[in-house]
Amino acid sequence: METQHIQTSSQASDYLRPLQRITALGGGHGLGRLLYSLKFMGKKLVGVVATTDNGGSTGMLRATHKCIAWGDIRNCLSQLAQQPLAAELLNYRYNDNQLNGHSFGNLLLHTLNEISARPIDSIELLSRLLKVNSKVLPMSEVPTDLTADTVEDLHCFGEINVDALVTMPKRLSLSPKVAATPEAIEHILQSDLILLGPGSFLTSIMPPLLVEEIQQAIAASGASILYVDNLVKENSPAGRLSTQERLTWLEQYLGGARVHAVISPKAHEITHIPVVQTVTPEANTLHRHDATRLRIAIAQAYYQLNNK
C-alpha cells in the first residue's frame, strides 16, 4: 500500500491495526482527541496522561486531598466513552454553592480512588464502567507540580503560573521528582509508535516527558516517534516558536531519541524528516483536528518512516 493510497479511514485503520502498541503522551483536550481518532486499536492503544494540572475542579481537589490531577484523565475517558450520555455526565460541572465549579467526572475518579489501592485501579474501574477498551494511564501516581525557571532567573511554580508566562522558560521540571507509573513504562517499551501532541506545549505535552523513566523508556523502545502539531497557534510563548524550535525543545527530554516525523499543516521549515500536511480542522472548530483526517495522517507518516 503506497502512502498516496492511504486516503480513507478504513485504509488507515487497516494499515495501523497490526501494530503491537501505540502510545500517546500528553494532556488536555488534544490527547483525548488523538485517542478518539485511534480508538479502533482497542487495548493496543495507550494514553499516558499529564497529571500536573492545578486549576479549576482538579486544582480544588488537589489542594484539599493531595491527589494527582484528574481532569485530563477524565477528558480522555470522556472522549473514549462509547455512549455520548456518559461523556456528558463525566464533563458535567456543578454550579451550586457547595460543589460550584467541580466536574462530576473528577469527583467520581477521586471517590473511586478513595476506595482503590492505586489511582490506576480507579481509572481501570471507570474504564470498565464506560466500556473503554483502550488504556488511559497517569504519567505518575504520585502528586507533582510543573515548575519553570525563567530567563529572569525566577522560579515559577504550578501549571497555572507556567501557562501565564509571557516568554519561554529556560527549563521545566517537576516538583517533587516522581516515578513513572510502571504500566506506562511497560507499554512505552512495547510500542511500535509513540505520539506526542497535540495540545498546550508547556503544560500538556511536556509534563510526561519530564519524568526521567519515561524519557529512558522512549529512547529504549526503538519506536517511531511522531509529533502532532497544533492546527492553530496556542496563546502561550510556545505558540510563537517555529515547529522546528518546538522539536528542539522536545528532543531535550527524549532520552537521546529524536522525533522521526511531524504531522502539521504549516511546518514548512522542516526538511530533515517527513512532514505530513493532510490534517484539517473539525467543521466549525478551527483548533480541533478532524478525527478521520488525523487518523489518515498518522498512517501516512508511519508508512513513510517504514518504507523509505
Side-chain angles (χ1 to χ4, degrees):
M1 179 187 293
E2 295 182 3
T3 185
Q4 60 264 33
H5 293 153
I6 305 178
Q7 299 294 332
T8 68
S9 174
S10 60
Q11 289 167 343
S13 300
D14 289 344
Y15 183 69
L16 294 171
R17 193 172 280 113
L19 272 60
Q20 178 174 326
R21 191 80 79 248
I22 298 177
T23 300
L25 296 91
H29 296 277
L31 178 61
R33 188 61 172 171
L34 181 63
L35 295 176
Y36 173 79
S37 75
L38 295 174
K39 70 177 184 177
F40 69 91
M41 292 292 297
K43 294 180 180 179
K44 297 195 289 183
L45 175 65
V46 180
V48 178
V49 186
T51 55
T52 49
D53 187 11
N54 66 337
S57 170
T58 289
M60 289 187 279
L61 285 171
R62 291 195 64 189
T64 55
H65 297 282
K66 310 303 179 187
C67 58
I68 66 171
W70 295 112
D72 288 356
I73 294 167
R74 181 208 78 239
N75 192 291
C76 290
L77 290 173
S78 71
Q79 295 201 51
L80 288 167
Q82 300 295 331
Q83 295 293 332
L85 180 59
E88 289 185 28
L89 185 60
L90 286 182
N91 293 325
Y92 175 79
R93 290 193 181 274
Y94 296 95
N95 58 13
D96 61 44
N97 290 332
Q98 291 184 315
L99 296 175
N100 188 37
H102 271 297
S103 158
F104 174 77
N106 290 353
L107 294 175
L108 179 57
L109 279 164
H110 172 69
T111 302
L112 292 172
N113 187 53
E114 291 288 289
I115 60 173
S116 301
R118 300 169 58 193
I120 194 175
D121 295 334
S122 62
I123 298 167
E124 180 64 28
L125 177 57
L126 185 53
S127 294
R128 291 202 301 269
L129 291 173
L130 297 172
K131 297 183 180 180
V132 170
N133 293 321
S134 301
K135 288 282 184 182
V136 176
L137 302 171
M139 69 183 204
S140 175
E141 295 181 279
V142 178
T144 187
D145 279 285
L146 182 65
T147 68
D149 293 320
T150 72
V151 294
E152 299 86 6
D153 290 324
L154 299 175
H155 189 64
C156 183
F157 183 88
E159 190 169 296
I160 290 176
N161 291 326
V162 173
D163 212 23
L165 290 173
V166 295
T167 59
M168 285 294 289
K170 290 192 294 186
R171 66 184 65 86
L172 296 172
S173 59
L174 297 174
S175 179
K177 289 186 176 181
V178 291
T181 302
E183 290 84 349
I185 298 302
E186 177 185 349
H187 287 298
I188 290 170
L189 290 171
Q190 294 174 351
S191 294
D192 302 301
L193 178 59
I194 292 173
L195 300 165
L196 309 174
S200 299
F201 187 80
L202 294 175
T203 56
S204 290
I205 300 171
M206 289 302 304
L209 302 181
L210 301 177
V211 181
E212 291 182 5
E213 292 165 294
I214 289 179
Q215 296 179 23
Q216 295 163 3
I218 290 172
S221 71
S224 298
I225 303 172
L226 305 187
Y227 171 55
V228 184
D229 203 3
N230 292 332
L231 293 173
V232 298
K233 287 185 177 181
E234 61 177 289
N235 186 26
S236 82
R240 297 191 289 274
L241 298 179
S242 69
T243 306
Q244 178 56 61
E245 288 171 324
R246 285 194 290 278
L247 291 187
T248 300
W249 253 85
L250 284 173
E251 289 175 348
Q252 296 179 67
Y253 300 91
L254 294 181
R258 294 288 179 265
V259 174
H260 299 115
V262 172
I263 295 173
S264 174
K266 57 185 183 294
H268 305 294
E269 78 278 13
I270 295 178
T271 58
H272 66 290
I273 56 175
V275 177
V276 175
Q277 299 179 315
T278 54
V279 284
T280 58
E282 187 179 52
N284 303 318
T285 313
L286 293 180
H287 66 275
R288 185 172 179 172
H289 283 80
D290 177 89
T292 297
R293 298 306 304 174
L294 181 57
R295 183 183 310 124
I296 293 169
I298 291 168
Q300 290 173 338
Y302 188 70
Y303 178 91
Q304 289 187 41
L305 292 175
N306 289 275
N307 293 274
K308 294 181 181 178

